[in-house]
Amino acid sequence: MGFFWKLVVSLVGLTAFINPSFANPIYYETVALGSDRFEYHYTVDNQTGSVIDEFTVWFDLGLYDNLEITGSPDGWDGLEAQPDPWLPDDGFADWLGFGDVLDSGETLDGFSVSWRL
């Protein structure tokens, strides 16, 4: 087998490990909690052709501090990671559906995260 065909077979084989990723709108509302504390309330609107069982929202390093998941719908669990200036790395809030998914065309709210300036 020639080099060209080995390359084609390798590339076709690699496509089995590629996960498709789709952009999807996530709407938010900002609520002032007092002092320098705020909260984002998120609504996910699945406009893709597949189910959503996990999503991540990123928080820029230097703009957010003390992230805390404050709301998750039934069947969903949230995890936050703080922005870290020593890495340096942005923070994130990630939600995972445990058995519950957001089907195509569905909308789900109840996701929230608080933070400090």
Side-chain angles (χ1 to χ4, degrees):
M1 183 186 286
F3 174 76
F4 174 75
W5 289 110
K6 287 181 184 179
L7 180 62
V8 169
V9 170
S10 296
L11 291 176
V12 170
L14 285 175
T15 60
F17 298 105
I18 296 175
N19 251 344
S21 178
F22 303 98
N24 193 76
I26 299 175
Y27 305 102
Y28 71 96
E29 175 185 26
T30 306
V31 176
L33 300 177
S35 186
D36 62 349
R37 195 98 183 133
F38 297 87
E39 187 172 67
Y40 285 144
H41 295 199
Y42 296 102
T43 300
V44 181
D45 182 12
N46 188 353
Q47 296 180 9
T48 69
S50 59
V51 300
I52 295 175
D53 59 359
E54 180 181 18
F55 68 95
T56 304
V57 178
W58 295 92
F59 295 87
D60 290 340
L61 176 64
L63 297 180
Y64 298 91
D65 196 15
N66 291 12
L67 298 175
E68 180 182 344
I69 299 290
T70 53
S72 299
D74 289 340
W76 290 77
D77 190 33
L79 167 76
E80 75 274 340
Q82 304 301 320
D84 189 343
W86 296 105
L87 289 178
D89 200 12
D90 294 332
F92 66 84
D94 184 84
W95 282 273
L96 176 65
F98 287 103
D100 287 352
V101 297
L102 188 57
D103 289 317
S104 183
E106 290 184 336
T107 300
L108 184 61
D109 60 7
F111 304 98
S112 59
V113 60
S114 67
W115 49 276
R116 189 183 67 185
L117 283 176

